[in-house]
Amino acid sequence: MSRCGKHRRIISTSLILGWLLVLATPALSNIRFYSIVQQICTSYRVSVDLSQMSLDGVETDHTVFQLMLKSRRNNFEEVMMIGYIAAGQAIARTGIVVHTINVIVTIPKADNLLIMTSASINLVEQLRTGKIKSSEFLRQIQWT
């Protein structure tokens, strides 16, 4: 009788650990995604914090990655491009399916002016692989 209880305990423990692993995997992949974006931005001397990133709609069919960056002076286009390239590299390395990338750049010298842009993953992938130039990319993204 005690042997039967021992097997039940092992089975229930393994089921609980399995469910915890299934639930924790998306959170860990988001952290990996965020750390890749942070590493690439830091290598280009653009500071970014994990609190400035969000990955919404992972459970649905339309996943959106949003990144907020701060421009150093009047180089908001360069900072924006670094954000898109970092997000594209993170998508390529982690395999997370993202449909839209939003990059918001604040310009502190202009009374914290916000520049909001949005691009589809197809456009970002073309930029990342070098199929289009950055000037063409800037013309095709959505500015708001």
Side-chain angles (χ1 to χ4, degrees), residues 84-123:
Y84 280 114
I85 290 170
Q89 286 290 355
I91 291 167
R93 290 183 190 176
T94 60
I96 294 177
V97 178
V98 176
H99 295 90
T100 306
I101 299 172
N102 298 331
V103 175
I104 301 169
V105 179
T106 60
I107 304 173
K109 299 281 184 183
D111 294 329
N112 288 327
L113 175 70
L114 287 176
I115 298 175
M116 300 169 55
T117 59
S118 179
S120 69
I121 188 59
N122 295 331
L123 189 61

PDB file of all heavy atoms in Angstrom, residues 84-123:
ATOM      1  N   TYR A  84      15.096  49.132 -34.354  1.00  0.00           N
ATOM      2  CA  TYR A  84      14.536  48.156 -35.291  1.00  0.00           C
ATOM      3  C   TYR A  84      15.513  47.018 -35.581  1.00  0.00           C
ATOM      4  O   TYR A  84      15.124  45.853 -35.661  1.00  0.00           O
ATOM      5  CB  TYR A  84      14.117  48.837 -36.596  1.00  0.00           C
ATOM      6  CG  TYR A  84      12.790  49.520 -36.504  1.00  0.00           C
ATOM      7  CD1 TYR A  84      12.695  50.902 -36.599  1.00  0.00           C
ATOM      8  CD2 TYR A  84      11.620  48.791 -36.325  1.00  0.00           C
ATOM      9  CE1 TYR A  84      11.469  51.546 -36.522  1.00  0.00           C
ATOM     10  CE2 TYR A  84      10.390  49.425 -36.241  1.00  0.00           C
ATOM     11  CZ  TYR A  84      10.322  50.798 -36.337  1.00  0.00           C
ATOM     12  OH  TYR A  84       9.116  51.416 -36.248  1.00  0.00           O
ATOM     13  N   ILE A  85      16.783  47.343 -35.737  1.00  0.00           N
ATOM     14  CA  ILE A  85      17.779  46.306 -36.006  1.00  0.00           C
ATOM     15  C   ILE A  85      17.917  45.373 -34.798  1.00  0.00           C
ATOM     16  O   ILE A  85      18.002  44.149 -34.950  1.00  0.00           O
ATOM     17  CB  ILE A  85      19.127  46.942 -36.391  1.00  0.00           C
ATOM     18  CG1 ILE A  85      18.997  47.593 -37.769  1.00  0.00           C
ATOM     19  CG2 ILE A  85      20.256  45.916 -36.375  1.00  0.00           C
ATOM     20  CD1 ILE A  85      20.162  48.444 -38.176  1.00  0.00           C
ATOM     21  N   ALA A  86      17.911  45.940 -33.598  1.00  0.00           N
ATOM     22  CA  ALA A  86      18.011  45.120 -32.385  1.00  0.00           C
ATOM     23  C   ALA A  86      16.808  44.192 -32.259  1.00  0.00           C
ATOM     24  O   ALA A  86      16.956  43.013 -31.929  1.00  0.00           O
ATOM     25  CB  ALA A  86      18.129  46.024 -31.155  1.00  0.00           C
ATOM     26  N   ALA A  87      15.620  44.706 -32.530  1.00  0.00           N
ATOM     27  CA  ALA A  87      14.417  43.867 -32.463  1.00  0.00           C
ATOM     28  C   ALA A  87      14.458  42.770 -33.528  1.00  0.00           C
ATOM     29  O   ALA A  87      14.100  41.620 -33.258  1.00  0.00           O
ATOM     30  CB  ALA A  87      13.173  44.733 -32.629  1.00  0.00           C
ATOM     31  N   GLY A  88      14.902  43.111 -34.725  1.00  0.00           N
ATOM     32  CA  GLY A  88      15.002  42.107 -35.784  1.00  0.00           C
ATOM     33  C   GLY A  88      15.992  41.014 -35.445  1.00  0.00           C
ATOM     34  O   GLY A  88      15.745  39.828 -35.706  1.00  0.00           O
ATOM     35  N   GLN A  89      17.127  41.392 -34.868  1.00  0.00           N
ATOM     36  CA  GLN A  89      18.121  40.386 -34.469  1.00  0.00           C
ATOM     37  C   GLN A  89      17.580  39.493 -33.355  1.00  0.00           C
ATOM     38  O   GLN A  89      17.815  38.284 -33.354  1.00  0.00           O
ATOM     39  CB  GLN A  89      19.417  41.074 -34.003  1.00  0.00           C
ATOM     40  CG  GLN A  89      20.232  41.640 -35.110  1.00  0.00           C
ATOM     41  CD  GLN A  89      20.884  40.564 -35.966  1.00  0.00           C
ATOM     42  OE1 GLN A  89      20.814  39.369 -35.698  1.00  0.00           O
ATOM     43  NE2 GLN A  89      21.510  40.995 -37.037  1.00  0.00           N
ATOM     44  N   ALA A  90      16.856  40.082 -32.401  1.00  0.00           N
ATOM     45  CA  ALA A  90      16.285  39.289 -31.304  1.00  0.00           C
ATOM     46  C   ALA A  90      15.249  38.298 -31.836  1.00  0.00           C
ATOM     47  O   ALA A  90      15.186  37.161 -31.371  1.00  0.00           O
ATOM     48  CB  ALA A  90      15.665  40.211 -30.264  1.00  0.00           C
ATOM     49  N   ILE A  91      14.461  38.728 -32.803  1.00  0.00           N
ATOM     50  CA  ILE A  91      13.471  37.831 -33.408  1.00  0.00           C
ATOM     51  C   ILE A  91      14.172  36.687 -34.134  1.00  0.00           C
ATOM     52  O   ILE A  91      13.778  35.528 -34.028  1.00  0.00           O
ATOM     53  CB  ILE A  91      12.542  38.612 -34.350  1.00  0.00           C
ATOM     54  CG1 ILE A  91      11.648  39.546 -33.545  1.00  0.00           C
ATOM     55  CG2 ILE A  91      11.709  37.685 -35.212  1.00  0.00           C
ATOM     56  CD1 ILE A  91      10.924  40.579 -34.371  1.00  0.00           C
ATOM     57  N   ALA A  92      15.232  37.011 -34.860  1.00  0.00           N
ATOM     58  CA  ALA A  92      15.964  35.981 -35.592  1.00  0.00           C
ATOM     59  C   ALA A  92      16.646  34.992 -34.654  1.00  0.00           C
ATOM     60  O   ALA A  92      16.696  33.793 -34.941  1.00  0.00           O
ATOM     61  CB  ALA A  92      16.998  36.636 -36.511  1.00  0.00           C
ATOM     62  N   ARG A  93      17.148  35.460 -33.528  1.00  0.00           N
ATOM     63  CA  ARG A  93      17.871  34.578 -32.607  1.00  0.00           C
ATOM     64  C   ARG A  93      16.953  33.747 -31.720  1.00  0.00           C
ATOM     65  O   ARG A  93      17.309  32.623 -31.359  1.00  0.00           O
ATOM     66  CB  ARG A  93      18.803  35.402 -31.721  1.00  0.00           C
ATOM     67  CG  ARG A  93      19.974  35.975 -32.460  1.00  0.00           C
ATOM     68  CD  ARG A  93      20.879  36.700 -31.518  1.00  0.00           C
ATOM     69  NE  ARG A  93      21.889  37.459 -32.225  1.00  0.00           N
ATOM     70  CZ  ARG A  93      22.754  38.246 -31.640  1.00  0.00           C
ATOM     71  NH1 ARG A  93      22.726  38.398 -30.327  1.00  0.00           N
ATOM     72  NH2 ARG A  93      23.637  38.913 -32.352  1.00  0.00           N
ATOM     73  N   THR A  94      15.807  34.291 -31.326  1.00  0.00           N
ATOM     74  CA  THR A  94      14.937  33.565 -30.406  1.00  0.00           C
ATOM     75  C   THR A  94      13.849  32.774 -31.107  1.00  0.00           C
ATOM     76  O   THR A  94      13.337  31.812 -30.548  1.00  0.00           O
ATOM     77  CB  THR A  94      14.259  34.527 -29.415  1.00  0.00           C
ATOM     78  OG1 THR A  94      13.471  35.470 -30.136  1.00  0.00           O
ATOM     79  CG2 THR A  94      15.278  35.210 -28.539  1.00  0.00           C
ATOM     80  N   GLY A  95      13.462  33.185 -32.299  1.00  0.00           N
ATOM     81  CA  GLY A  95      12.403  32.487 -33.004  1.00  0.00           C
ATOM     82  C   GLY A  95      11.009  32.862 -32.550  1.00  0.00           C
ATOM     83  O   GLY A  95      10.033  32.228 -32.929  1.00  0.00           O
ATOM     84  N   ILE A  96      10.888  33.904 -31.729  1.00  0.00           N
ATOM     85  CA  ILE A  96       9.570  34.373 -31.297  1.00  0.00           C
ATOM     86  C   ILE A  96       8.887  35.022 -32.490  1.00  0.00           C
ATOM     87  O   ILE A  96       9.489  35.823 -33.203  1.00  0.00           O
ATOM     88  CB  ILE A  96       9.699  35.366 -30.126  1.00  0.00           C
ATOM     89  CG1 ILE A  96      10.239  34.648 -28.895  1.00  0.00           C
ATOM     90  CG2 ILE A  96       8.366  36.010 -29.811  1.00  0.00           C
ATOM     91  CD1 ILE A  96      10.475  35.543 -27.710  1.00  0.00           C
ATOM     92  N   VAL A  97       7.633  34.681 -32.714  1.00  0.00           N
ATOM     93  CA  VAL A  97       6.887  35.220 -33.842  1.00  0.00           C
ATOM     94  C   VAL A  97       6.313  36.569 -33.451  1.00  0.00           C
ATOM     95  O   VAL A  97       5.468  36.669 -32.563  1.00  0.00           O
ATOM     96  CB  VAL A  97       5.758  34.256 -34.263  1.00  0.00           C
ATOM     97  CG1 VAL A  97       4.961  34.840 -35.407  1.00  0.00           C
ATOM     98  CG2 VAL A  97       6.331  32.909 -34.638  1.00  0.00           C
ATOM     99  N   VAL A  98       6.805  37.620 -34.084  1.00  0.00           N
ATOM    100  CA  VAL A  98       6.328  38.988 -33.863  1.00  0.00           C
ATOM    101  C   VAL A  98       5.821  39.507 -35.198  1.00  0.00           C
ATOM    102  O   VAL A  98       6.461  39.311 -36.230  1.00  0.00           O
ATOM    103  CB  VAL A  98       7.463  39.889 -33.319  1.00  0.00           C
ATOM    104  CG1 VAL A  98       7.001  41.316 -33.177  1.00  0.00           C
ATOM    105  CG2 VAL A  98       7.978  39.349 -31.998  1.00  0.00           C
ATOM    106  N   HIS A  99       4.682  40.169 -35.188  1.00  0.00           N
ATOM    107  CA  HIS A  99       4.099  40.676 -36.429  1.00  0.00           C
ATOM    108  C   HIS A  99       4.387  42.159 -36.654  1.00  0.00           C
ATOM    109  O   HIS A  99       4.568  42.590 -37.779  1.00  0.00           O
ATOM    110  CB  HIS A  99       2.588  40.431 -36.442  1.00  0.00           C
ATOM    111  CG  HIS A  99       2.256  38.974 -36.473  1.00  0.00           C
ATOM    112  ND1 HIS A  99       2.081  38.230 -35.337  1.00  0.00           N
ATOM    113  CD2 HIS A  99       2.109  38.129 -37.502  1.00  0.00           C
ATOM    114  CE1 HIS A  99       1.820  36.984 -35.665  1.00  0.00           C
ATOM    115  NE2 HIS A  99       1.827  36.885 -36.986  1.00  0.00           N
ATOM    116  N   THR A 100       4.399  42.936 -35.583  1.00  0.00           N
ATOM    117  CA  THR A 100       4.604  44.379 -35.700  1.00  0.00           C
ATOM    118  C   THR A 100       5.607  44.835 -34.647  1.00  0.00           C
ATOM    119  O   THR A 100       5.576  44.361 -33.511  1.00  0.00           O
ATOM    120  CB  THR A 100       3.275  45.133 -35.490  1.00  0.00           C
ATOM    121  OG1 THR A 100       2.301  44.607 -36.389  1.00  0.00           O
ATOM    122  CG2 THR A 100       3.436  46.616 -35.739  1.00  0.00           C
ATOM    123  N   ILE A 101       6.459  45.770 -35.034  1.00  0.00           N
ATOM    124  CA  ILE A 101       7.423  46.358 -34.108  1.00  0.00           C
ATOM    125  C   ILE A 101       7.147  47.851 -34.045  1.00  0.00           C
ATOM    126  O   ILE A 101       7.110  48.524 -35.084  1.00  0.00           O
ATOM    127  CB  ILE A 101       8.872  46.096 -34.562  1.00  0.00           C
ATOM    128  CG1 ILE A 101       9.138  44.598 -34.619  1.00  0.00           C
ATOM    129  CG2 ILE A 101       9.856  46.785 -33.633  1.00  0.00           C
ATOM    130  CD1 ILE A 101      10.456  44.229 -35.234  1.00  0.00           C
ATOM    131  N   ASN A 102       6.958  48.360 -32.834  1.00  0.00           N
ATOM    132  CA  ASN A 102       6.759  49.787 -32.607  1.00  0.00           C
ATOM    133  C   ASN A 102       7.979  50.326 -31.879  1.00  0.00           C
ATOM    134  O   ASN A 102       8.374  49.769 -30.848  1.00  0.00           O
ATOM    135  CB  ASN A 102       5.518  50.047 -31.751  1.00  0.00           C
ATOM    136  CG  ASN A 102       4.248  49.571 -32.411  1.00  0.00           C
ATOM    137  OD1 ASN A 102       4.151  49.542 -33.629  1.00  0.00           O
ATOM    138  ND2 ASN A 102       3.276  49.195 -31.615  1.00  0.00           N
ATOM    139  N   VAL A 103       8.565  51.376 -32.412  1.00  0.00           N
ATOM    140  CA  VAL A 103       9.691  52.037 -31.755  1.00  0.00           C
ATOM    141  C   VAL A 103       9.282  53.476 -31.479  1.00  0.00           C
ATOM    142  O   VAL A 103       8.872  54.195 -32.393  1.00  0.00           O
ATOM    143  CB  VAL A 103      10.973  51.986 -32.620  1.00  0.00           C
ATOM    144  CG1 VAL A 103      12.091  52.779 -31.971  1.00  0.00           C
ATOM    145  CG2 VAL A 103      11.407  50.546 -32.844  1.00  0.00           C
ATOM    146  N   ILE A 104       9.390  53.865 -30.222  1.00  0.00           N
ATOM    147  CA  ILE A 104       9.064  55.227 -29.796  1.00  0.00           C
ATOM    148  C   ILE A 104      10.357  55.881 -29.338  1.00  0.00           C
ATOM    149  O   ILE A 104      11.058  55.349 -28.474  1.00  0.00           O
ATOM    150  CB  ILE A 104       8.034  55.212 -28.658  1.00  0.00           C
ATOM    151  CG1 ILE A 104       6.766  54.499 -29.117  1.00  0.00           C
ATOM    152  CG2 ILE A 104       7.735  56.618 -28.179  1.00  0.00           C
ATOM    153  CD1 ILE A 104       5.800  54.188 -28.008  1.00  0.00           C
ATOM    154  N   VAL A 105      10.680  57.014 -29.925  1.00  0.00           N
ATOM    155  CA  VAL A 105      11.905  57.739 -29.590  1.00  0.00           C
ATOM    156  C   VAL A 105      11.519  59.065 -28.951  1.00  0.00           C
ATOM    157  O   VAL A 105      10.711  59.811 -29.501  1.00  0.00           O
ATOM    158  CB  VAL A 105      12.772  57.979 -30.850  1.00  0.00           C
ATOM    159  CG1 VAL A 105      14.021  58.760 -30.500  1.00  0.00           C
ATOM    160  CG2 VAL A 105      13.139  56.665 -31.508  1.00  0.00           C
ATOM    161  N   THR A 106      12.095  59.346 -27.787  1.00  0.00           N
ATOM    162  CA  THR A 106      11.889  60.643 -27.147  1.00  0.00           C
ATOM    163  C   THR A 106      13.114  61.506 -27.392  1.00  0.00           C
ATOM    164  O   THR A 106      14.243  61.020 -27.363  1.00  0.00           O
ATOM    165  CB  THR A 106      11.663  60.503 -25.633  1.00  0.00           C
ATOM    166  OG1 THR A 106      12.811  59.892 -25.047  1.00  0.00           O
ATOM    167  CG2 THR A 106      10.436  59.677 -25.327  1.00  0.00           C
ATOM    168  N   ILE A 107      12.867  62.776 -27.645  1.00  0.00           N
ATOM    169  CA  ILE A 107      13.951  63.734 -27.870  1.00  0.00           C
ATOM    170  C   ILE A 107      13.942  64.704 -26.699  1.00  0.00           C
ATOM    171  O   ILE A 107      13.094  65.593 -26.624  1.00  0.00           O
ATOM    172  CB  ILE A 107      13.772  64.471 -29.206  1.00  0.00           C
ATOM    173  CG1 ILE A 107      13.662  63.459 -30.343  1.00  0.00           C
ATOM    174  CG2 ILE A 107      14.935  65.430 -29.452  1.00  0.00           C
ATOM    175  CD1 ILE A 107      13.312  64.062 -31.677  1.00  0.00           C
ATOM    176  N   PRO A 108      14.870  64.553 -25.751  1.00  0.00           N
ATOM    177  CA  PRO A 108      14.846  65.397 -24.553  1.00  0.00           C
ATOM    178  C   PRO A 108      15.155  66.868 -24.836  1.00  0.00           C
ATOM    179  O   PRO A 108      14.651  67.737 -24.137  1.00  0.00           O
ATOM    180  CB  PRO A 108      15.907  64.779 -23.644  1.00  0.00           C
ATOM    181  CG  PRO A 108      16.652  63.798 -24.449  1.00  0.00           C
ATOM    182  CD  PRO A 108      15.893  63.535 -25.692  1.00  0.00           C
ATOM    183  N   LYS A 109      15.943  67.156 -25.848  1.00  0.00           N
ATOM    184  CA  LYS A 109      16.296  68.547 -26.159  1.00  0.00           C
ATOM    185  C   LYS A 109      15.106  69.325 -26.706  1.00  0.00           C
ATOM    186  O   LYS A 109      15.083  70.540 -26.674  1.00  0.00           O
ATOM    187  CB  LYS A 109      17.437  68.599 -27.181  1.00  0.00           C
ATOM    188  CG  LYS A 109      18.703  67.946 -26.716  1.00  0.00           C
ATOM    189  CD  LYS A 109      19.453  68.834 -25.783  1.00  0.00           C
ATOM    190  CE  LYS A 109      20.761  68.165 -25.425  1.00  0.00           C
ATOM    191  NZ  LYS A 109      21.528  68.884 -24.478  1.00  0.00           N
ATOM    192  N   ALA A 110      14.102  68.639 -27.225  1.00  0.00           N
ATOM    193  CA  ALA A 110      12.926  69.291 -27.815  1.00  0.00           C
ATOM    194  C   ALA A 110      11.713  69.117 -26.897  1.00  0.00           C
ATOM    195  O   ALA A 110      10.627  68.762 -27.332  1.00  0.00           O
ATOM    196  CB  ALA A 110      12.643  68.729 -29.192  1.00  0.00           C
ATOM    197  N   ASP A 111      11.911  69.355 -25.610  1.00  0.00           N
ATOM    198  CA  ASP A 111      10.843  69.239 -24.612  1.00  0.00           C
ATOM    199  C   ASP A 111      10.192  67.860 -24.633  1.00  0.00           C
ATOM    200  O   ASP A 111       8.970  67.721 -24.593  1.00  0.00           O
ATOM    201  CB  ASP A 111       9.784  70.321 -24.815  1.00  0.00           C
ATOM    202  CG  ASP A 111      10.331  71.709 -24.554  1.00  0.00           C
ATOM    203  OD1 ASP A 111      11.237  71.825 -23.704  1.00  0.00           O
ATOM    204  OD2 ASP A 111       9.868  72.646 -25.205  1.00  0.00           O
ATOM    205  N   ASN A 112      11.009  66.816 -24.698  1.00  0.00           N
ATOM    206  CA  ASN A 112      10.558  65.421 -24.692  1.00  0.00           C
ATOM    207  C   ASN A 112       9.553  65.119 -25.791  1.00  0.00           C
ATOM    208  O   ASN A 112       8.520  64.487 -25.565  1.00  0.00           O
ATOM    209  CB  ASN A 112       9.997  65.037 -23.328  1.00  0.00           C
ATOM    210  CG  ASN A 112      11.093  64.909 -22.300  1.00  0.00           C
ATOM    211  OD1 ASN A 112      12.207  64.504 -22.622  1.00  0.00           O
ATOM    212  ND2 ASN A 112      10.780  65.246 -21.067  1.00  0.00           N
ATOM    213  N   LEU A 113       9.873  65.551 -26.980  1.00  0.00           N
ATOM    214  CA  LEU A 113       9.054  65.253 -28.153  1.00  0.00           C
ATOM    215  C   LEU A 113       9.075  63.750 -28.407  1.00  0.00           C
ATOM    216  O   LEU A 113      10.123  63.111 -28.356  1.00  0.00           O
ATOM    217  CB  LEU A 113       9.610  65.993 -29.373  1.00  0.00           C
ATOM    218  CG  LEU A 113       8.945  65.711 -30.713  1.00  0.00           C
ATOM    219  CD1 LEU A 113       7.542  66.311 -30.731  1.00  0.00           C
ATOM    220  CD2 LEU A 113       9.782  66.269 -31.838  1.00  0.00           C
ATOM    221  N   LEU A 114       7.903  63.162 -28.659  1.00  0.00           N
ATOM    222  CA  LEU A 114       7.792  61.733 -28.939  1.00  0.00           C
ATOM    223  C   LEU A 114       7.630  61.510 -30.431  1.00  0.00           C
ATOM    224  O   LEU A 114       6.783  62.129 -31.070  1.00  0.00           O
ATOM    225  CB  LEU A 114       6.578  61.134 -28.233  1.00  0.00           C
ATOM    226  CG  LEU A 114       6.654  60.959 -26.734  1.00  0.00           C
ATOM    227  CD1 LEU A 114       5.327  60.450 -26.201  1.00  0.00           C
ATOM    228  CD2 LEU A 114       7.752  59.995 -26.364  1.00  0.00           C
ATOM    229  N   ILE A 115       8.422  60.591 -30.974  1.00  0.00           N
ATOM    230  CA  ILE A 115       8.284  60.176 -32.361  1.00  0.00           C
ATOM    231  C   ILE A 115       7.941  58.696 -32.330  1.00  0.00           C
ATOM    232  O   ILE A 115       8.722  57.876 -31.853  1.00  0.00           O
ATOM    233  CB  ILE A 115       9.565  60.432 -33.166  1.00  0.00           C
ATOM    234  CG1 ILE A 115       9.860  61.915 -33.183  1.00  0.00           C
ATOM    235  CG2 ILE A 115       9.436  59.872 -34.564  1.00  0.00           C
ATOM    236  CD1 ILE A 115      11.157  62.277 -33.836  1.00  0.00           C
ATOM    237  N   MET A 116       6.758  58.360 -32.829  1.00  0.00           N
ATOM    238  CA  MET A 116       6.281  56.984 -32.796  1.00  0.00           C
ATOM    239  C   MET A 116       6.281  56.415 -34.209  1.00  0.00           C
ATOM    240  O   MET A 116       5.737  57.030 -35.122  1.00  0.00           O
ATOM    241  CB  MET A 116       4.879  56.935 -32.198  1.00  0.00           C
ATOM    242  CG  MET A 116       4.853  57.469 -30.782  1.00  0.00           C
ATOM    243  SD  MET A 116       3.219  57.744 -30.104  1.00  0.00           S
ATOM    244  CE  MET A 116       2.432  56.196 -30.302  1.00  0.00           C
ATOM    245  N   THR A 117       6.892  55.254 -34.368  1.00  0.00           N
ATOM    246  CA  THR A 117       6.942  54.594 -35.670  1.00  0.00           C
ATOM    247  C   THR A 117       6.536  53.131 -35.515  1.00  0.00           C
ATOM    248  O   THR A 117       6.630  52.566 -34.428  1.00  0.00           O
ATOM    249  CB  THR A 117       8.351  54.664 -36.277  1.00  0.00           C
ATOM    250  OG1 THR A 117       9.275  54.040 -35.375  1.00  0.00           O
ATOM    251  CG2 THR A 117       8.774  56.095 -36.536  1.00  0.00           C
ATOM    252  N   SER A 118       6.108  52.557 -36.617  1.00  0.00           N
ATOM    253  CA  SER A 118       5.674  51.170 -36.620  1.00  0.00           C
ATOM    254  C   SER A 118       6.104  50.525 -37.933  1.00  0.00           C
ATOM    255  O   SER A 118       6.048  51.153 -38.989  1.00  0.00           O
ATOM    256  CB  SER A 118       4.158  51.111 -36.472  1.00  0.00           C
ATOM    257  OG  SER A 118       3.715  49.784 -36.493  1.00  0.00           O
ATOM    258  N   ALA A 119       6.527  49.268 -37.847  1.00  0.00           N
ATOM    259  CA  ALA A 119       6.946  48.537 -39.052  1.00  0.00           C
ATOM    260  C   ALA A 119       6.547  47.076 -38.919  1.00  0.00           C
ATOM    261  O   ALA A 119       6.527  46.518 -37.821  1.00  0.00           O
ATOM    262  CB  ALA A 119       8.450  48.643 -39.262  1.00  0.00           C
ATOM    263  N   SER A 120       6.239  46.474 -40.051  1.00  0.00           N
ATOM    264  CA  SER A 120       5.918  45.049 -40.051  1.00  0.00           C
ATOM    265  C   SER A 120       7.200  44.240 -39.962  1.00  0.00           C
ATOM    266  O   SER A 120       8.288  44.725 -40.283  1.00  0.00           O
ATOM    267  CB  SER A 120       5.153  44.679 -41.318  1.00  0.00           C
ATOM    268  OG  SER A 120       6.008  44.785 -42.435  1.00  0.00           O
ATOM    269  N   ILE A 121       7.071  43.015 -39.570  1.00  0.00           N
ATOM    270  CA  ILE A 121       8.242  42.164 -39.430  1.00  0.00           C
ATOM    271  C   ILE A 121       8.900  41.886 -40.779  1.00  0.00           C
ATOM    272  O   ILE A 121      10.119  41.747 -40.859  1.00  0.00           O
ATOM    273  CB  ILE A 121       7.890  40.857 -38.687  1.00  0.00           C
ATOM    274  CG1 ILE A 121       9.143  40.055 -38.367  1.00  0.00           C
ATOM    275  CG2 ILE A 121       6.914  40.037 -39.484  1.00  0.00           C
ATOM    276  CD1 ILE A 121      10.152  40.773 -37.525  1.00  0.00           C
ATOM    277  N   ASN A 122       8.112  41.849 -41.844  1.00  0.00           N
ATOM    278  CA  ASN A 122       8.686  41.615 -43.173  1.00  0.00           C
ATOM    279  C   ASN A 122       9.635  42.744 -43.566  1.00  0.00           C
ATOM    280  O   ASN A 122      10.713  42.509 -44.111  1.00  0.00           O
ATOM    281  CB  ASN A 122       7.579  41.468 -44.215  1.00  0.00           C
ATOM    282  CG  ASN A 122       6.732  40.248 -43.975  1.00  0.00           C
ATOM    283  OD1 ASN A 122       7.208  39.259 -43.433  1.00  0.00           O
ATOM    284  ND2 ASN A 122       5.477  40.325 -44.358  1.00  0.00           N
ATOM    285  N   LEU A 123       9.233  43.967 -43.281  1.00  0.00           N
ATOM    286  CA  LEU A 123      10.072  45.120 -43.600  1.00  0.00           C
ATOM    287  C   LEU A 123      11.343  45.133 -42.751  1.00  0.00           C
ATOM    288  O   LEU A 123      12.440  45.408 -43.255  1.00  0.00           O
ATOM    289  CB  LEU A 123       9.263  46.408 -43.405  1.00  0.00           C
ATOM    290  CG  LEU A 123       9.882  47.695 -43.887  1.00  0.00           C
ATOM    291  CD1 LEU A 123      10.130  47.651 -45.388  1.00  0.00           C
ATOM    292  CD2 LEU A 123       8.974  48.866 -43.549  1.00  0.00           C
TER     293      LEU A 123
END
